[in-house]
Amino acid sequence: MDFLQTYGFLIVTMLQQGLLGLSLYFPLMAGQLSLASPGFYALGGYIAAIILTQPQFAGWRDALGNWVFPVTWLLAALASALLGLIVGVPALRLRGIYLALATIAFVQILQVLSLNLSITGGAIGLFGIPQAFGFGDRWQYIWIFLPTVIVVLLFAHKLQGSRVGRAFRAIREDELAADAMGIPPTRYKVMAFVIGAVLAGVVGAMSAPFLNTWNARQGTFDASIAFLAYTLIGGSRSMWGPLLGGALLASLPELLRGLADWRLVINGLVLVVASLYLPQGIVGALLRLRRKAPPKRPATGPAPLGDTP
Amino acid sequence: MTDLLQNLINGLAIGSVYAIFALGYTLVFSILGIINFAHGAVFTLGAYFTYTLVVGQFENNGLIKGLNLFPVGSPFHGSAWAFAAAALIGAVLSGLIAVVIERLAFRPMRSRGADPLLALVSSLGVALVIVNLIQILVGAESYSFPGDIYGDLKPAIILHVGGKLVVVRTVQVIIFAVSMLLLLVLGYVIGRTRVGKALRAVAENPGTASLLGISVSRFIVITFFLSGFLGGLAGTLVSTAFSVAGPYFGVAYGLKGLAVIVLGGLGSIPGAVVGGLVIGLFEAFVPAEYSAYKEAVAFALLFVILLLRPQGLLGRAQVQKV
């Protein structure tokens, strides 16, 4: 228990950031680099924070009891799906860096709105968010985040083998060819985008009680970049990559705590060195190592995880 | 009418800085096809370099607080010319830093033909390093240039238009004039000189350019130097109008600069100028009661233009590879 008291918060944070890394993975399955996740994460968090703190929802809270928490997750999922569709349908006509920039703009606009609206608490934000299910300790959030991680991984695994997953992969490899084969790219790209948006929104709704306060700093450009770094450093071609990258990079500031002021400098250096020397991410590098090792099983090495049917 | 004129002046002044800042992005993008996110950090560095030369001392916090680098009486105190010299040196130093960034964070990647997205993460790592080094060295405070940096120039021009006052600050005139001068010089260099022709050849097709005997690596170094020079100078100019607002000074400009270059057309030099002026003007015309939403203007414009005309105002349509 002492271990959980000390490291529980960190472990839950690693899972939470891993999930946010995964929210980029779904659009990437269809070849779309979207940096919109922090926007949906912020939206989900605000929905939960508003329902859990504002006086006009007191009736709901009394009526629902602990069910109010799953209800906030559901509402966050629905709102993210809706906003994801509204933004995704026009934005996904854009490719590559243009889509990335459009989604950065989306996040910025949401941030300016949340800084200025009264329902979001303006620049101060919302605070005093009650702990989910009356948890007494932060580590207990593991009972929410760990099952979510497992469900998302199972979902990703199932998706990869499904017809939809294969359509995603076809679009990622060559959109024009996929289109010519009768796969409607826009529909699948929007689908992949919305899955990522819903995941980010739900994680936001789960995180608002965990963090106890919610404000405009939750969904910023810095977060876009952090999530992108999780994905690229962990490995963008496998569902394990973003999870591993998120967990590792979220723990880095903690591991470097002794270095005080210098830890963000080191954090930056880690990003530079990793992007220079781990072009396929950590998971990609591990797979390459395994392939180079003397073959114990059939000589054809395992395909990258993301490509296994 | 007077409001219109006042907004126009404010918009042109800030828009011209956006333009020269964004040119740094667009030059690198046109040559390498990558977005250098460390550009905002170089902008911050430019302001700090100039501040160091002019004032020579940091108070309050950080490792080098109280260290008197250039005591009063050193050549950068006093006249407008001394300040201009300091700004120029600050910009050159920023350019050199940009060259170092290219060496350390981009070149090793280029030789392997890595994913441009990795360059994005790498340059973000560089930005993180620079911003936090500044914070460690001089602390997180804002610094203001002394009021008389432009020497004995009159503080402001005041026009009487239809009974109302229109104020043109000296800083605004200088910012606008310097930016326009730079744009003309750069336009001349790129459009008319041998170096410019070579640069355009590299931007068009690095492979063919190197077959024609152009040293691509050398022109990439030149591009990064120019980019850093423009970014650093923009940092100095903005900081004279406001203040050197801490190590995170450049982050907001970094993002706005992206909006500028996409609005104008990624990789297009006239596009960066038009984009900068358009965003500056749009921001200046946001009514005072909605000024809190001013920061969203650039991104709203960016979003709209991406949906209507993804290649930007002056960009060329992307040829799709089949």
Side-chain angles (χ1 to χ4, degrees):
Chain A
M1 277 305 131
D2 274 356
F3 177 80
L4 280 175
Q5 293 292 351
T6 317
Y7 293 105
F9 183 80
L10 178 64
I11 292 169
V12 175
T13 304
M14 288 164 73
L15 290 174
Q16 181 221 17
Q17 298 295 309
L19 281 168
L20 290 168
L22 277 167
S23 74
L24 255 71
Y25 174 66
F26 289 101
L28 274 175
M29 275 175 82
Q32 307 305 307
L33 174 67
S34 152
L35 298 179
S37 282
F40 296 108
Y41 172 68
L43 174 76
Y46 273 119
I47 288 173
I50 289 167
I51 292 175
L52 294 173
T53 60
Q54 296 307 82
Q56 58 266 47
F57 292 101
W60 285 38
R61 292 196 291 272
D62 292 341
L64 288 167
N66 269 337
W67 285 102
V68 74
F69 298 104
V71 168
T72 61
W73 307 344
L74 190 69
L75 288 175
L78 289 174
S80 301
L82 192 67
L83 187 61
L85 276 175
I86 294 170
V87 178
V89 170
L92 286 159
R93 293 188 310 156
L94 302 167
R95 287 156 198 278
I97 196 78
Y98 287 92
L99 176 63
L101 294 173
T103 51
I104 288 176
F106 162 75
V107 171
Q108 292 299 311
I109 292 168
L110 280 189
Q111 197 197 355
V112 172
L113 283 178
S114 56
L115 272 172
N116 291 297
L117 294 176
S118 58
I119 192 161
T120 55
I124 303 161
L126 299 163
F127 42 86
I129 301 167
Q131 296 299 306
F133 308 108
F135 285 163
D137 259 312
R138 292 297 183 80
W139 67 264
Q140 288 173 306
Y141 279 87
I142 206 163
W143 303 125
I144 300 178
F145 283 107
L146 190 60
T148 312
V149 168
I150 293 169
V151 167
V152 171
L153 287 177
L154 282 174
F155 174 77
H157 182 72
K158 277 277 174 214
L159 186 67
Q160 273 154 10
S162 74
R163 201 184 150 75
V164 174
R166 279 175 288 150
F168 285 177
R169 208 151 59 236
I171 294 166
R172 184 182 69 196
E173 295 306 331
D174 192 331
E175 190 177 328
L176 286 176
D179 198 5
M181 299 294 283
I183 297 169
T186 309
R187 187 195 305 169
Y188 284 106
K189 287 197 294 192
V190 171
M191 199 187 291
F193 182 77
V194 170
I195 294 172
V198 168
L199 177 57
V202 171
V203 173
M206 291 176 169
S207 301
F210 174 58
L211 296 177
N212 202 237
T213 101
W214 203 257
N215 52 45
R217 278 190 297 281
Q218 300 304 329
T220 60
F221 172 69
D222 289 353
S224 294
I225 294 320
F227 302 170
L228 175 66
Y230 299 165
T231 308
L232 291 180
I233 285 174
S236 62
R237 288 270 166 142
S238 151
M239 63 188 186
W240 300 102
L243 187 68
L244 186 68
L248 279 179
L249 288 181
S251 65
L252 202 57
E254 196 65 26
L255 295 176
L256 298 174
R257 176 158 284 199
L259 296 164
D261 293 347
W262 292 89
R263 67 183 187 185
L264 283 171
V265 175
I266 311 246
N267 215 339
L269 288 174
V270 167
L271 290 186
V272 176
V273 171
S275 45
L276 291 181
Y277 298 105
L278 294 171
Q280 304 295 321
I282 295 168
V283 171
L286 290 177
L287 287 171
R288 247 205 335 260
L289 278 181
R290 238 169 86 185
R291 240 171 285 164
K292 275 185 190 157
K296 287 179 185 137
R297 289 180 297 147
T300 51
L305 276 180
D307 293 337
T308 42
Chain B
M1 180 61 203
T2 50
D3 284 351
L4 182 84
L5 195 60
Q6 183 72 64
N7 288 339
L8 207 63
I9 290 162
N10 295 345
L12 285 176
I14 193 71
S16 62
V17 180
Y18 289 165
I20 60 166
F21 173 69
L23 267 175
Y25 266 130
T26 233
L27 279 173
V28 168
F29 186 87
S30 65
I31 303 276
L32 289 182
I34 57 170
I35 290 187
N36 173 17
F37 267 108
H39 196 50
V42 171
F43 170 94
T44 309
L45 271 180
Y48 272 95
F49 282 142
T50 309
Y51 182 85
T52 310
L53 289 168
V54 172
V55 181
Q57 193 165 7
F58 292 93
E59 306 291 338
N60 304 326
N61 235 322
L63 280 181
I64 62 167
K65 70 168 174 193
L67 187 66
N68 214 342
L69 296 164
F70 298 94
V72 178
S74 72
F76 297 108
H77 286 279
S79 72
W81 292 113
F83 176 74
L88 199 65
I89 295 174
V92 169
L93 290 175
S94 307
L96 294 177
I97 295 280
V99 170
V100 173
I101 293 173
E102 193 273 328
R103 234 316 125 65
L104 298 181
F106 292 118
R107 184 166 297 190
M109 211 174 271
R110 204 168 66 242
S111 52
R112 280 187 281 110
D115 190 336
L117 284 180
L118 286 170
L120 205 84
V121 173
S122 173
S123 63
L124 282 159
V126 171
L128 204 58
V129 170
I130 292 177
V131 164
N132 286 288
L133 276 179
I134 295 176
Q135 183 152 352
I136 291 169
L137 287 176
V138 303
E141 297 82 8
S142 301
Y143 291 96
S144 296
F145 279 101
D148 60 347
I149 45 170
Y150 293 119
D152 50 4
L153 293 179
K154 284 206 172 65
I157 304 162
I158 297 172
L159 304 171
H160 296 268
V161 182
K164 272 184 160 182
L165 296 182
V166 174
V167 180
V168 188
R169 297 164 66 204
T170 314
V171 174
Q172 290 179 316
V173 177
I174 289 174
I175 285 177
F176 187 72
V178 170
S179 305
M180 288 302 130
L181 183 70
L182 263 180
L183 293 177
L184 286 176
V185 170
L186 197 71
Y188 174 79
V189 168
I190 288 177
R192 295 269 183 272
T193 63
R194 272 182 75 86
V195 173
K197 276 183 193 156
L199 267 179
R200 279 182 289 146
V202 175
E204 196 65 42
N205 189 332
T208 314
S210 77
L211 285 180
L212 293 171
I214 297 170
S215 162
V216 174
S217 298
R218 213 176 81 210
F219 281 95
I220 289 173
V221 169
I222 293 176
T223 306
F224 268 86
F225 178 79
L226 280 176
S227 156
F229 183 91
L230 294 169
L233 196 60
T236 298
L237 290 176
V238 173
S239 63
T240 57
F242 307 106
S243 61
V244 187
Y248 293 90
F249 184 43
V251 174
Y253 287 89
L255 283 173
K256 218 171 266 181
L258 285 180
V260 168
I261 56 171
V262 177
L263 192 73
L266 263 183
S268 157
I269 287 170
V273 179
V274 172
L277 293 176
V278 166
I279 287 183
L281 285 171
F282 264 87
E283 281 184 351
F285 279 93
V286 172
E289 61 264 40
Y290 296 112
S291 65
Y293 292 94
K294 208 162 102 175
E295 288 304 303
V297 167
F299 303 105
L301 278 173
L302 166 69
F303 206 74
V304 170
I305 199 77
L306 279 172
L307 299 180
L308 297 178
R309 197 180 147 81
Q311 71 271 35
L313 292 171
L314 301 183
R316 284 180 293 179
Q318 295 265 311
V319 181
Q320 197 167 345
K321 268 188 207 141
V322 182

